């Protein structure tokens, strides 16, 4: 079955989904979220004929670059915004709750909403082209789609670093940190897909362990052994710089360290929304023990950030005028009280809360 933005089919026990907006780097629209939700629910029931699900992106550049941010920004104050984040988060939770083995092929850019429909799932197959990032603080939002759960599970202070800076993790390094679970060369993906077909085409139920064993066999030794990149090389310094009780302390650490890496990290942070970083610091510092709890908190934060000017200014600077010079309000973390930060985390009205 096909529509403009998603191709889907069931062949010999495999449910295939292809995100089909390559010009937009397969950014998720509300239509895609609804379509994907419907497909996954229908495939995850007994008798569906689907033994394993594979999700990938069309084109050569991206799995999924995130949500359709420009469209969300254009709908300022409209019900569309509320529907989008609510339905996106419910999809993310569904991905993490499926009975049927779920595989994503991250052969390219995987950011924001693309992380939500992949990292929350059981199996993530990366390639040398994989680029992972959570860049939301740079457009006046917060790292969401369950980041308060999955980023906090990364080693040391890595999750806090990635969530605050939006720094990218690329290629085999994603396997090193568990962002991906398996790794193959990009030009071998088609052969891997054929083996998944053959495995699912056998009679009888397909066990999760069988899928895992197949993916284990395909994972390159090179990806396991030669997987150090920029983040790995600076992880010790990241752990030192981001071992802080406040965002202000992180900035002080960066100022005092005065290394090439600390200087570039500070420059990255200085470009981001101060309010977003203050919220993200508390969100990621505290973390949540379950994916569902993280999504509920992030829904509160995002609902309130959509009411603030920073998001619209961030989108203007990054995606519309592209001057990369957002004027944040407030423009400094010094102007943001802890009391204000706490307000963002309080419960919404009962009818507005995310129910999982």
């Amino acid at each position: 079955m096909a529509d403009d933005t998603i191709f889907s089919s069931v062949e010999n026990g495999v449910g295939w989904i292809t995100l089909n907006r390559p010009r937009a780097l397969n950014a998720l629209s509300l239509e895609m979220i609804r379509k994907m939700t419907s497909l996954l629910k229908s495939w995850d029931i007994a008798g569906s004929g689907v033994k394993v699900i594979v999700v990938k992106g069309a084109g050569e550049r991206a799995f999924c670059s995130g949500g359709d941010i420009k469209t969300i920004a254009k709908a300022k104050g409209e019900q569309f915004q509320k529907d989008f984040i609510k339905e996106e988060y419910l999809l993310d939770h569904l991905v993490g709750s499926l009975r049927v083995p779920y595989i994503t092929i991250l052969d390219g850019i995987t950011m924001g909403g693309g992380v939500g429909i992949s990292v929350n799932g059981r199996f993530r197959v990366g390639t040398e082209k994989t680029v992972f990032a959570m860049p939301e603080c740079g457009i006046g939002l917060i790292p969401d789609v369950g980041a308060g759960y999955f980023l906090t599970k990364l080693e040391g202070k890595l999750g806090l670093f990635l969530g605050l800076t939006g720094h990218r993790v690329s290629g085999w390094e994603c396997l090193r940190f568990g962002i991906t679970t398996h790794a193959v060369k990009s030009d071998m993906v088609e052969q891997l897909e054929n083996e998944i077909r053959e495995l699912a085409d056998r009679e009888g139920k397909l066990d999760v362990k069988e899928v895992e064993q197949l993916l284990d066999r395909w994972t390159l030794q090179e990806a396991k052994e030669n997987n150090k990149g920029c983040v790995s090389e600076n992880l010790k310094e990241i752990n030192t710089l981001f071992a802080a009780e406040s965002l202000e302390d992180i900035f002080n650490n960066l100022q005092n360290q005065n290394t090439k890496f600390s200087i570039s990290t500070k420059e990255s942070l200085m470009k981001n929304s101060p309010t977003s970083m203050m919220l993200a610091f508390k969100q990621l510092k505290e973390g949540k023990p379950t994916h569902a709890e993280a999504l509920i908190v992030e829904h509160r934060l995002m609902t309130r950030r959509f009411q603030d000017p920073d998001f619209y200014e961030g989108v203007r600077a990054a995606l519309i005028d592209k001057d990369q010079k957002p004027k944040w309000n407030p423009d400094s973390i010094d102007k943001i009280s802890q009391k204000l930060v706490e307000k963002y985390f309080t419960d919404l009205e009962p009818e507005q809360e995310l129910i999982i």
Side-chain angles (χ1 to χ4, degrees), residues 183-246:
V184 301
K185 284 279 192 181
S186 180
D187 60 9
M188 300 294 284
V189 167
E190 189 174 341
Q191 293 179 51
L192 171 61
E193 291 174 356
N194 287 335
E195 281 217 17
I196 294 171
R197 284 188 184 92
E198 292 174 9
L199 182 65
D201 196 30
R202 293 184 343 206
E203 287 189 20
K205 183 181 177 182
L206 180 60
D207 188 79
V208 172
K209 196 67 181 175
E210 293 179 273
V211 176
E212 185 174 21
Q213 289 170 348
L214 184 151
L215 297 175
D216 286 346
R217 288 198 304 273
W218 273 84
T219 295
L220 296 168
Q221 197 65 27
E222 172 193 344
K224 296 177 183 177
E225 297 175 352
N226 185 26
N227 56 19
K228 287 189 176 181
C230 174
V231 176
S232 302
E233 291 167 358
N234 293 285
L235 188 58
K236 185 176 180 181
E237 189 168 355
I238 288 169
N239 287 335
T240 299
L241 293 169
F242 285 77
E245 294 304 314
S246 69

Side-chain angles (χ1 to χ4, degrees), residues 1-9 16-20 39 43 58:
M1 186 182 297
D3 61 25
D4 290 336
T5 55
I6 279 189
F7 294 148
S8 66
S9 63
W16 297 95
I17 294 176
T18 302
L19 309 177
N20 187 42
L39 286 167
W43 290 346

Side-chain angles (χ1 to χ4, degrees), residues 171-185:
W172 305 145
E173 196 168 36
C174 291
L175 182 68
R176 177 183 178 86
F177 293 119
I179 294 166
T180 53
T181 58
H182 298 85
V184 301
K185 284 279 192 181

Side-chain angles (χ1 to χ4, degrees), residues 18-288:
T18 302
L19 309 177
N20 187 42
R21 296 184 69 200
R23 289 187 178 181
L25 300 178
N26 299 319
L28 291 173
S29 64
L30 184 54
E31 175 190 23
M32 293 167 75
I33 290 168
R34 288 173 173 169
K35 179 70 174 177
M36 192 168 170
T37 299
S38 176
L39 286 167
L40 294 183
K41 285 182 175 179
S42 69
W43 290 346
D44 199 44
I45 59 176
S48 71
V50 174
K51 300 178 182 179
V52 60
I53 297 167
V54 180
V55 184
K56 56 184 180 176
E60 298 182 354
R61 298 178 60 195
F63 167 69
C64 174
S65 61
D68 191 346
I69 293 298
K70 287 173 75 172
T71 301
I72 297 170
K74 286 178 183 176
K76 183 178 181 180
E78 297 177 13
Q79 183 64 36
F80 174 87
Q81 289 186 329
K82 297 176 183 179
D83 291 344
F84 192 101
I85 55 167
K86 178 182 178 182
E87 295 184 42
E88 180 185 19
Y89 292 0
L90 290 175
L91 172 59
D92 295 334
H93 185 258
L94 174 62
V95 162
S97 309
L98 292 170
R99 175 187 57 84
V100 174
Y102 178 89
I103 304 169
T104 44
I105 310 292
L106 310 184
D107 190 26
I109 295 167
T110 305
M111 299 182 183
V115 173
I117 59 170
S118 57
V119 170
N120 292 310
R122 191 185 299 267
F123 300 119
R124 291 94 60 189
V125 179
T127 74
E128 74 277 12
K129 292 164 56 179
T130 305
V131 180
F132 166 95
M134 295 296 290
E136 290 80 7
C137 286
I139 55 168
L141 296 177
I142 52 99
D144 62 337
V145 299
Y149 173 69
F150 63 74
L151 281 185
T152 60
K153 291 167 70 69
L154 298 179
E155 65 178 272
K157 302 298 179 181
L158 178 58
L160 184 59
F161 166 74
L162 295 177
L164 288 174
T165 63
H167 193 93
R168 298 180 175 192
V169 185
S170 302
W172 305 145
E173 196 168 36
C174 291
L175 182 68
R176 177 183 178 86
F177 293 119
I179 294 166
T180 53
T181 58
H182 298 85
V184 301
K185 284 279 192 181
S186 180
D187 60 9
M188 300 294 284
V189 167
E190 189 174 341
Q191 293 179 51
L192 171 61
E193 291 174 356
N194 287 335
E195 281 217 17
I196 294 171
R197 284 188 184 92
E198 292 174 9
L199 182 65
D201 196 30
R202 293 184 343 206
E203 287 189 20
K205 183 181 177 182
L206 180 60
D207 188 79
V208 172
K209 196 67 181 175
E210 293 179 273
V211 176
E212 185 174 21
Q213 289 170 348
L214 184 151
L215 297 175
D216 286 346
R217 288 198 304 273
W218 273 84
T219 295
L220 296 168
Q221 197 65 27
E222 172 193 344
K224 296 177 183 177
E225 297 175 352
N226 185 26
N227 56 19
K228 287 189 176 181
C230 174
V231 176
S232 302
E233 291 167 358
N234 293 285
L235 188 58
K236 185 176 180 181
E237 189 168 355
I238 288 169
N239 287 335
T240 299
L241 293 169
F242 285 77
E245 294 304 314
S246 69
L247 186 59
E248 293 90 336
D249 288 346
I250 291 176
F251 275 100
N252 289 335
N253 291 344
L254 291 167
Q255 185 68 34
N256 295 334
Q257 193 82 349
N258 199 33
T259 63
K260 183 178 179 181
F261 180 76
S262 67
I263 291 169
S264 67
T265 299
K266 184 179 179 182
E267 289 173 352
S268 295
L269 292 177
M270 292 297 290
K271 296 175 183 177
N272 293 341
S273 159
T275 303
S276 290
M277 290 191 293
M278 289 287 281
L279 297 175
F281 179 85
K282 176 177 169 61
Q283 169 204 6
L284 299 175
K285 181 77 171 173
E286 295 179 355
K288 288 297 175 185

